């Protein structure tokens, strides 16, 4: 089975064209519709740039883009500044309770950002626990709402991504480099900045891009605690929701601006990453060293403090879920009242949280494995096109995907039902991540094994399902579990496309927080956290200690 660059209309050729057709229907068509709406005057049918002129001509709109850049820039800078030293400490030194702390870091990274926003409102809001404590001793603390609050929430939720990326890169550094540097008098802080940072720079840029993109496209956090500080995703959501019953051209124009901005950022990062990239292969990995004295105290203080602050919101939400409530207020005593109310009122919502992402996950895994095989084993111009198209959703904010699907598939010409629309949108949105993990595992499987199967008379499809897929199983399952965690915490796309019959936990938590039903919101958040923890434990069991790849 030789790998050539010519397209053949065999069974894999038919699969390639089918997948290409699905991408045209569910990616190219929605994005094309958004572009059409953005440049066509609905009344005259003429080409126009009025919607873009409206956006850039009014400070009220254009400032949201500047605000989002400010939030994303400072979030990325602080996340890198916090996560990189933490990864360095975890790799270089023996930290007490390291395995448990790593689980907490991963849990913090996998939670939905808006849950962190809601948690910090309970802690540092106008009537928050910490706020009232300091108020009682005559100290006024800064307001959680606005730019500072958004930054706090996003940094706590996103620095673990930098930690995971950098920790993985540090494991590829040969210990002899560290020893050689130390023998030449380069140790401590000097070693960190002159040796470690240059070696992990490509990984840092990749992680920084992910943090920047997530911060730029986050909708829930600024919506909950932004108040007067308006960001780009919130503007997109508000304009689309207000334009649904009328002219949606302006919402489409904002979506196009968003796509262009994220695409430019992605290309700049790719250029910078390629410029700094090089290959490392550790013959001897870095050995953990015990610490003593003040250095030991400071490293442990930094580690425990950072992780403690990151996980504090989730711990407090779990605690408040057991507090008694009266109306919209928490009262003295503890019970399961909030859980009872949650299950009584949100039973279908909880079922939807597992049903809709579950269906999406099955489709994602199936398509990801097929696309990975086409990209690695059947490389040609058509499969390259599929590969490129599969990565487009990676750079598109979730709210834009929601708008594109809403405009395209909710009309008299092309109508798709609520559940089907949610499932398809989630598949398109989360498919790139699973494709990358499937490609990585397939590249490690020798092609000679498949060639031997075919030479013994097995068909290409039988070889794929009986030989290749079982060998990919551990990687597929691990990737599927991580995709599952992101699916059950999805908000930005789902908030635009959901109906009363397709409401999920993330949407329910968001709406209950807006209504002030903090008890029910806390109970639902705890259920979502438990589902995330169970998923991560299953991942660790299956992957046998393998690091999470994001």
């Amino acid at each position: 089975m030789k790998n050539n660059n010519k397209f053949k209309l065999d069974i894999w050729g038919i699969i390639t064209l089918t997948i290409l057709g699905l991408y045209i229907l569910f990616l190219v068509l929605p994005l094309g519709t958004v572009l059409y709406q953005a440049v066509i005057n609905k009344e005259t049918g003429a080409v126009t740039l009025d919607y873009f002129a409206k956006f850039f001509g009014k400070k009220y709109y254009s400032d949201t883009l500047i605000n989002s850049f400010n939030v994303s820039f400072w979030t990325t800078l602080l996340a890198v500044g916090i996560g990189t030293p933490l990864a360095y400490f975890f790799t270089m030194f023996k930290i007490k309770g390291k395995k448990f702390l790593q689980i907490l870091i991963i849990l913090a990274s996998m939670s939905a950002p808006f849950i962190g926003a809601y948690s910090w409102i309970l802690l540092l809001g106008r009537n928050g626990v910490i706020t009232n404590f300091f108020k009682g001793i005559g100290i006024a603390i800064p307001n959680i709402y606005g730019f500072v609050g958004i930054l706090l929430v996003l940094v706590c939720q996103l620095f673990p991504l930098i930690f995971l990326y950098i920790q993985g890169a540090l494991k590829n550094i040969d210990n002899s480099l560290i020893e050689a540097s130390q023998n030449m008098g380069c140790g401590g802080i000097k070693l960190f900045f002159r040796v470690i940072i240059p070696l992990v720079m490509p990984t840092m840029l990749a992680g920084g891009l992910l943090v920047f993109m997530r911060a730029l496209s986050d909708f829930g956090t600024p919506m909950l605690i932004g108040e007067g500080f308006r960001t780009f995703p919130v503007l997109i959501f508000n304009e689309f929701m207000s334009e649904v019953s009328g002219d949606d051209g302006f919402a489409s124009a904002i979506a196009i601006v968003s796509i262009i901005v994220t695409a430019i950022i992605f290309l700049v990062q790719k250029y910078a990453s390629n410029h700094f990239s090089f290959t490392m292969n550790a013959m001897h990995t870095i050995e953990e060293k015990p610490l003593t004295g003040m250095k030991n105290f400071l490293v442990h203080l930094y580690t425990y403090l950072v992780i403690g602050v990151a996980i504090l919101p989730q711990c407090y939400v779990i605690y408040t879920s057991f507090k008694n409530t009266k109306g919209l207020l928490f009262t003295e005593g503890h019970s399961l009242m909030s859980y009872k109310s949650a299950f009584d009122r949100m039973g279908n919502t909880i079922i939807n949280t597992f049903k809709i992402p579950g269906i999406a996950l099955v489709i994602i895994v199936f398509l990801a494995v097929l696309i990975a095989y086409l990209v690695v084993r059947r490389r040609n111009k058509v499969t390259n096109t599929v590969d490129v198209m599969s990565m487009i959703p990676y750079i598109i904010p979730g709210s834009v995907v929601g708008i594109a699907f809403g405009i395209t598939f909710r009309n008299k010409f092309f109508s798709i039902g609520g559940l089907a629309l949610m499932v398809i949108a989630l598949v398109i949105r989360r498919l790139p991540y699973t494709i990358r993990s499937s490609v990585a595992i397939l590249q490690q499987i020798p092609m000679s094994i498949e060639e031997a199967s075919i030479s013994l008379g097995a068909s290409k499809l039988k070889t794929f399902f009986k030989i290749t897929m079982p060998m990919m199983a551990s990687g597929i399952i691990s990737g599927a579990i991580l995709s599952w965690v992101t699916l059950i915490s999805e908000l930005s796309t789902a908030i635009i496309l959901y109906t009363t019959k397709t409401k999920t936990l993330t949407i329910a938590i968001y709406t209950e927080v807006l209504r002030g039903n903090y008890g029910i919101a806390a109970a639902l958040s705890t259920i979502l956290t438990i589902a995330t923890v169970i998923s991560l434990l299953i991942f660790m069991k299956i992957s046998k200690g393998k690091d999470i790849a994001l």
Side-chain angles (χ1 to χ4, degrees):
M1 188 174 65
K2 292 183 179 179
N3 192 12
N4 57 58
N5 293 322
K6 292 183 179 180
F7 177 77
K8 293 180 180 179
L9 196 60
D10 54 7
I11 185 64
W12 284 108
I14 293 170
I15 291 173
T16 304
L17 292 178
T18 302
I19 292 174
L20 184 62
L22 290 173
Y23 268 117
I24 291 171
L25 178 61
F26 294 116
L27 181 62
V28 177
L29 178 61
L31 294 180
T33 304
V34 169
L35 179 61
Y36 177 83
Q37 297 271 16
V39 298
I40 299 295
N41 186 297
K42 203 169 184 179
E43 295 178 0
T44 64
V47 176
T48 179
L49 296 177
D50 289 349
Y51 298 123
F52 293 97
K54 179 181 177 181
F55 176 79
F56 289 105
K58 291 189 177 181
K59 204 168 182 294
Y60 177 81
Y61 297 122
S62 58
D63 274 359
T64 61
L65 193 56
I66 297 171
N67 288 345
S68 289
F69 264 102
N70 280 333
V71 167
S72 301
F73 173 78
W74 286 108
T75 297
T76 304
L77 196 65
L78 290 172
V80 170
I82 293 170
T84 304
L86 190 64
Y88 177 72
F89 293 155
F90 264 67
T91 306
M92 293 288 292
F93 309 122
K94 290 185 177 179
I95 308 291
K96 291 180 180 179
K98 181 177 290 187
K99 288 186 178 180
F100 178 68
L101 292 173
Q102 283 182 314
I103 292 173
L104 294 181
I105 292 171
I106 294 167
L107 182 60
S109 73
M110 292 295 174
S111 65
F114 77 93
I115 293 178
Y118 151 61
S119 310
W120 283 110
I121 289 173
L122 295 180
L123 291 168
L124 290 171
R126 294 186 179 90
N127 196 36
V129 175
I130 298 176
T131 305
N132 288 336
F133 171 79
F134 280 102
K135 192 184 295 182
I137 58 176
I139 299 175
I141 59 175
N143 198 325
I144 188 66
Y145 303 96
F147 175 78
V148 173
I150 296 171
L151 200 61
L152 173 65
V153 172
L154 291 178
V155 170
C156 285
Q157 204 267 338
L158 295 175
F159 86 82
L161 300 182
I162 298 295
F163 168 85
L164 293 170
Y165 265 85
I166 299 297
Q167 190 181 40
L170 289 172
K171 289 183 178 180
N172 290 325
I173 295 178
D174 197 295
N175 195 50
S176 59
L177 290 173
I178 306 296
E179 292 174 347
S181 301
Q182 291 172 335
N183 290 336
M184 295 178 69
C186 182
I189 296 175
K190 193 176 179 182
L191 172 70
F192 177 73
F193 283 104
R194 296 192 64 177
V195 178
I196 300 297
I197 293 298
L199 288 174
V200 300
M201 184 60 71
T203 304
M204 191 182 294
L205 289 169
L209 169 72
L210 183 60
V211 169
F212 192 96
M213 299 278 273
R214 287 201 181 184
L216 188 69
S217 62
D218 183 57
F219 156 77
T221 303
M223 194 73 173
L224 286 179
I225 63 174
E227 292 198 345
F229 192 85
R230 299 169 67 254
T231 62
F232 201 56
V234 174
L235 175 67
I236 293 174
F237 175 78
N238 288 337
E239 290 299 325
F240 177 71
M241 297 308 288
S242 65
E243 297 286 346
V244 167
S245 58
D247 182 14
D248 48 26
F250 185 51
S252 298
I254 299 173
I256 293 298
V257 172
S258 175
I259 293 171
I260 293 171
V261 167
T262 52
I264 291 171
I265 294 166
F266 179 74
L267 292 173
V268 169
Q269 185 276 338
K270 291 293 286 183
Y271 172 79
S273 183
N274 291 335
H275 180 72
F276 287 103
S277 67
F278 51 86
T279 302
M280 291 188 294
N281 187 18
M283 297 292 290
H284 304 285
T285 55
I286 295 174
E287 297 176 3
E288 297 176 1
K289 295 179 180 177
L291 289 169
T292 56
M294 183 56 69
K295 186 181 287 188
N296 181 54
F297 171 75
L298 291 174
V299 166
H300 277 84
L301 176 65
Y302 179 85
T303 301
Y304 292 154
L305 185 63
V306 167
I307 298 172
V309 171
I311 206 68
L312 175 64
Q314 289 190 3
C315 293
Y316 189 70
V317 164
I318 293 172
Y319 167 72
T320 56
S321 71
F322 295 102
K323 290 192 72 173
N324 288 330
T325 57
K326 186 176 182 181
L328 303 180
L329 301 174
F330 289 115
T331 58
E332 292 295 324
H334 301 82
S335 69
L336 297 175
M337 183 191 305
S338 294
Y339 287 94
K340 184 178 183 303
S341 300
F343 279 100
D344 288 344
R345 292 168 53 182
M346 306 283 179
N348 288 335
T349 298
I350 296 170
I351 293 171
N352 284 340
T353 302
F354 298 97
K355 176 183 171 183
I356 295 172
I359 297 170
L361 184 64
V362 172
I363 300 171
I364 285 172
V365 170
F366 179 72
L367 289 177
V369 173
L370 290 177
I371 293 171
Y373 188 86
L374 295 173
V375 168
V376 176
R377 296 287 197 252
R378 305 276 301 186
R379 212 155 180 90
N380 53 58
K381 289 182 179 178
V382 183
T383 57
N384 285 343
T385 303
V386 171
D387 189 25
V388 171
M389 293 177 75
S390 71
M391 289 306 295
I392 291 175
Y394 178 79
I395 63 171
I396 300 177
S399 52
V400 174
V401 174
I403 288 172
F405 272 69
I407 292 174
T408 307
F409 300 118
R410 279 183 175 170
N411 55 59
K412 59 184 178 180
F413 302 109
F414 204 155
S415 180
I416 296 179
L419 187 143
L421 192 61
M422 283 274 281
V423 168
I424 296 168
L426 289 176
V427 169
I428 290 292
R429 181 131 160 73
R430 296 302 178 186
L431 188 54
Y433 303 95
T434 313
I435 290 173
R436 290 304 106 189
S437 63
S438 299
V439 165
I441 192 72
L442 184 57
Q443 285 173 335
Q444 298 173 17
I445 300 173
M447 191 182 291
S448 59
I449 296 175
E450 296 168 47
E451 291 173 340
S453 174
I454 292 175
S455 68
L456 291 170
S459 66
K460 293 176 181 178
L461 272 186
K462 188 175 181 180
T463 297
F464 174 73
F465 286 109
K466 295 286 186 178
I467 305 296
T468 310
M469 276 194 67
M471 294 182 70
M472 295 172 65
S474 62
I476 294 170
I477 294 171
S478 297
I481 293 169
L482 296 179
S483 295
W484 166 257
V485 172
T486 61
L487 286 168
I488 61 176
S489 60
E490 174 64 41
L491 176 69
S492 55
T493 301
I495 196 73
I496 293 174
L497 298 177
Y498 87 97
T499 63
T500 53
K501 292 182 179 180
T502 58
K503 197 174 187 180
T504 59
L505 270 176
T506 48
I507 300 167
I509 295 165
Y510 174 76
T511 53
E512 292 303 313
V513 170
L514 289 184
R515 293 169 183 166
N517 293 325
Y518 292 147
I520 294 176
L524 294 173
S525 298
T526 303
I527 293 169
L528 190 60
T529 299
I530 291 170
T532 304
V533 170
I534 292 172
S535 301
L536 292 173
L537 290 175
I538 293 172
F539 167 81
M540 291 175 180
K541 179 72 174 176
I542 293 172
S543 63
K544 297 177 181 177
K546 180 183 171 184
D547 289 331
I548 284 184
L550 296 163

